[in-house]
Amino acid sequence: MIKKHIPNTITCCNLISGCIATYFAFLSDFEMALLFIVIGAVFDFFDGMSARLLGVSSPIGKELDSLADDITFGFAPSAIVFSYLCTFHIDLPFVPFLAFVMAAFSALRLAKFNLDERQALGFIGLPTPANALFWGSLILGLQQNDIAFDGIVWVILLGTFVSCYLLIAEIPMFALKFKHWGWKGNEIKYIFVISCIPLLLLLGVSGFAAIIAWYVLLSKIAVLTNK
């Protein structure tokens, strides 16, 4: 049947988007790299949805999805950070290559997700698409606004290691899944959605990076307040 191949075809489109994003990342065209990461995220959303709607979910589809996600949301953002670090004069030439540690931790996070049955209504650790969106929008914002200062290389590198930790950390993070549309029980989710608007208006493309950082902080608040 043709329909059983539809979800895997969409997943492959995600993977191809990640490859194209990586190509543009190595060219330091961070705008196009981010665009294809977003396109990959759209495909990633619809492959699972189509599998459920068509009733053709399969083990191979699950594994293929993780492989595609590590390219689009692991390797591509690592390439963006690598290329950005290469624009600076660094006495230690191996430093930019440390960005690819994030691709390895993204793969580890995806493997854990496949085996973790606790993540039906939320996440444990930072989702790889959110991490990819953070780095793509942050680096693009720095490039567009020509922001550079002493020590920025080490700040970016520290941020990369923090991301690696968040990807595999045992930190519950909420998902935008609603059992009902009322305020009670959805306070954190509504606060997050509403606050995204001014961040985007004020910061432009860099607002996506701020949104992901805000998401992590709100998730921590939700844990502390049991929301």
Side-chain angles (χ1 to χ4, degrees), residues 7 10-11 43-54 57 65:
I10 297 174
T11 301
F43 283 125
D44 184 49
F45 175 80
F46 282 107
D47 64 358
M49 175 182 288
S50 64
R52 290 188 293 271
L53 289 175
L54 296 173
S57 298
D65 183 67

Side-chain angles (χ1 to χ4, degrees), residues 1-45:
M1 294 187 301
I2 294 178
K3 73 174 186 179
K4 73 177 183 179
H5 298 295
I6 292 176
N8 289 346
T9 300
I10 297 174
T11 301
C12 288
C13 289
N14 171 18
L15 190 152
I16 293 169
S17 298
C19 292
I20 297 173
T22 303
Y23 167 78
F24 282 113
F26 284 133
L27 293 179
S28 294
D29 188 342
F30 302 132
E31 184 173 3
M32 290 299 294
L34 177 59
L35 173 62
F36 276 94
I37 286 175
V38 172
I39 291 173
V42 173
F43 283 125
D44 184 49
F45 175 80

